[in-house]
Amino acid sequence: PAVYTGSLWPTVWTGTRPGRHACYYNEQIIPGTYKIGDFLGPDVKQEPFWNTLSRSGCRVGLFDVPKAPLCETLNGVQIVDWGTHDADLPACSWPPQLIEEITAKHGPSAFRRCDWVMDGENPEQTLRELLLQRMETRLAIARDLLQREAWDLFMIGFGESHCIGHQCWHLHDPSHPKHDATLLRRIGDPVRDVYLALDRALGQLLEYTDAGTTVVLHCSHGMSAHYDATYLLDRALRRLEGKPQPAVGALLARARRLWKRLPLRLTERFGDLASAVRRMPDVSDRASRDCFVVPTNANSAGIRLNLAGREPNGRIQPKDADDFIARLTTDLQEFTDPADGRKLVKEIIRSSIAFPGEHSDSLPDLFIRWNRDKPITGLSSPKIGSLIEEDHSTRRSGDHRPGGLIFLHGPGYAAGTQLPDVHDEDIAPTLAACLGVNLAGVDGQPILPLQGQRPAGASQV
């Protein structure tokens, strides 16, 4: 809950939950400071499960598994960020020369970031065409790798549904405020087209399996309209605390808004400068407050307490934290939409309870899940008055919803069997169990009825 879009893939490939692997977003607070820094695959505090498989002698092939670090000395091959959604790293590989070989033979990804594509002409149609093109190249690379040897484990990630859902949900969803029925009639539904292409791609990959192969299809999480109030939350917290925004903070906020209005082809291509603008924090301001907002996926906001003994200038004593959170929870639950008065806070999640572990303190102390059934026009409550402002935090019309799908096919799985509820941390031990390897120290369990039902000689997954 709340962290699914940022924590899902590290949870999948470590078999551990966020309180242990420490990842909830690609930008997190730097411990011992009030600064925000990158948090990427190499920063995750638990190792990928395929390292254990590799050490046990399994041959492993990995292609664009999202958010994954490059694992040098892997017993196999790995391609990282050739064409993932919001690629964090320049495309790289193990062995190092593989990425050059693959790029020379099949070409680079059709584009680097879908946000850049949406900044051009005919963006919905162009993005669809580029995604379909990228999928064909991805399949060609996958065939190339699959034909090289009989891998014990082969994993491939498709980020195309991620991109099209974020950028073109307004065409797919007639209820979206930006829905354009005329454009839909002219170009069709890009979301549907990409999903159909993904289905065809799966069919082509299944041609490389046999009766002894276990196939796991992981549809990670859902997509719907992008509605949230995260971009207003820090201002609301200021009002609750009675702290006006400092003059320098107002200037920085204005600079960020102006920056986001510039064409993405300009702002996003200057990575260091874009990062600096995004992270322009008034560090002294955070140090002077009881709590503040930290970056998260917008669908759920994150609040961090300025906790004594943890933050450099902590103001909330640990013994007072429970009472402070109780008061803050009451205030947050009073937030309504100024347009219709509906309650806006669906749930408040406390990290130390939901995500226990040695790195739980790396996460926000509270996650705020919004009521996202329809557009949010602002924030209002008796204590803060009304905050109404256009959302310049994102240009994406679609955003994620919790809950996904797992399909399994192979030895030990009878057609039509309904699996028990599956958690992301169960996937790594399931894949390892397919290969007769037990993962120690993980939070998940192999998905039943796998154990004890795998025929002898069934070694591929």
Side-chain angles (χ1 to χ4, degrees), residues 159-241:
E160 285 72 22
S161 57
H162 196 146
C163 291
I164 205 68
H166 272 313
Q167 307 293 357
C168 293
W169 191 260
H170 58 285
L171 284 183
H172 181 73
D173 181 358
S175 70
H176 197 282
K178 296 181 180 179
H179 183 68
D180 188 336
T182 301
L183 181 60
L184 178 66
R185 286 192 296 270
R186 182 166 65 84
I187 71 170
D189 183 349
V191 175
R192 182 177 184 273
D193 293 343
V194 167
Y195 272 74
L196 287 171
L198 284 167
D199 188 63
R200 291 192 295 270
L202 174 63
Q204 294 180 52
L205 289 174
L206 289 176
E207 295 174 2
Y208 291 88
T209 68
D210 58 27
T213 306
T214 298
V215 179
V216 180
L217 172 62
H218 178 213
C219 303
S220 54
H221 43 41
M223 184 69 70
S224 189
H226 178 95
Y227 305 141
D228 69 78
T230 297
Y231 68 103
L232 292 172
L233 182 59
D234 205 56
R235 287 178 60 194
L237 293 180
R238 287 180 177 280
R239 291 194 180 184
L240 288 174
E241 198 172 336

Side-chain angles (χ1 to χ4, degrees), residues 368-388:
I368 313 304
R369 294 184 64 200
W370 302 106
N371 180 352
R372 303 166 64 213
D373 295 336
K374 58 181 180 178
I376 296 174
T377 65
L379 285 179
S380 181
S381 81
K383 290 187 177 180
I384 71 167
S386 292
L387 289 171
I388 301 175

Side-chain angles (χ1 to χ4, degrees), residues 311-343:
E311 267 61 55
N313 191 42
R315 291 165 54 90
I316 306 296
Q317 295 298 319
K319 65 181 179 61
D320 299 325
D322 288 346
D323 289 341
F324 178 84
I325 289 173
R327 293 193 301 271
L328 180 60
T329 296
T330 298
D331 291 336
L332 294 172
Q333 289 173 336
E334 291 182 342
F335 287 172
T336 60
D337 190 306
D340 57 16
R342 77 184 191 278
K343 295 287 187 180

Side-chain angles (χ1 to χ4, degrees), residues 380-406:
S380 181
S381 81
K383 290 187 177 180
I384 71 167
S386 292
L387 289 171
I388 301 175
E389 180 183 307
E390 185 179 354
D391 182 6
H392 294 293
S393 63
T394 183
R395 308 182 193 197
R396 298 174 176 181
S397 62
D399 203 2
H400 297 291
R401 290 292 191 273
L405 296 169
I406 298 285

Side-chain angles (χ1 to χ4, degrees), residues 236-435:
L237 293 180
R238 287 180 177 280
R239 291 194 180 184
L240 288 174
E241 198 172 336
K243 282 188 174 292
Q245 187 170 12
V248 64
L251 289 173
L252 291 175
R254 179 172 174 78
R256 283 192 289 266
R257 288 196 295 271
L258 291 174
W259 180 266
K260 285 184 173 295
R261 290 176 181 176
L262 293 174
L264 284 166
R265 64 178 178 274
L266 298 178
T267 61
E268 293 281 3
R269 292 182 190 279
F270 295 94
D272 292 340
L273 183 56
S275 178
V277 170
R278 277 199 318 273
R279 297 174 184 167
M280 284 176 176
D282 185 352
V283 172
S284 62
D285 171 60
R286 284 180 177 164
S288 70
R289 295 170 59 188
D290 292 336
C291 64
F292 47 86
V293 169
V294 290
T296 58
N297 292 283
N299 45 59
S300 296
I303 297 176
R304 189 170 180 90
L305 271 59
N306 195 1
L307 195 65
R310 184 182 66 183
E311 267 61 55
N313 191 42
R315 291 165 54 90
I316 306 296
Q317 295 298 319
K319 65 181 179 61
D320 299 325
D322 288 346
D323 289 341
F324 178 84
I325 289 173
R327 293 193 301 271
L328 180 60
T329 296
T330 298
D331 291 336
L332 294 172
Q333 289 173 336
E334 291 182 342
F335 287 172
T336 60
D337 190 306
D340 57 16
R342 77 184 191 278
K343 295 287 187 180
L344 289 183
V345 174
K346 184 174 183 177
E347 183 183 14
I348 299 174
I349 296 172
R350 192 165 176 175
S351 292
S352 60
I353 297 174
F355 308 115
E358 60 270 32
H359 297 292
S360 181
D361 264 356
S362 297
L363 279 61
D365 294 297
L366 300 175
F367 285 98
I368 313 304
R369 294 184 64 200
W370 302 106
N371 180 352
R372 303 166 64 213
D373 295 336
K374 58 181 180 178
I376 296 174
T377 65
L379 285 179
S380 181
S381 81
K383 290 187 177 180
I384 71 167
S386 292
L387 289 171
I388 301 175
E389 180 183 307
E390 185 179 354
D391 182 6
H392 294 293
S393 63
T394 183
R395 308 182 193 197
R396 298 174 176 181
S397 62
D399 203 2
H400 297 291
R401 290 292 191 273
L405 296 169
I406 298 285
F407 298 90
L408 293 100
H409 177 268
Y413 293 99
T417 300
Q418 179 66 46
L419 293 169
D421 287 344
V422 176
H423 300 280
D424 294 323
E425 60 266 28
D426 297 331
I427 295 174
T430 296
L431 297 178
C434 287
L435 298 167

Side-chain angles (χ1 to χ4, degrees), residues 48-68:
F49 80 99
W50 50 71
N51 284 358
T52 301
L53 297 182
S54 177
R55 290 191 293 266
S56 72
C58 293
R59 291 289 289 169
V60 177
L62 307 169
F63 180 20
D64 270 2
V65 179
K67 307 296 181 184

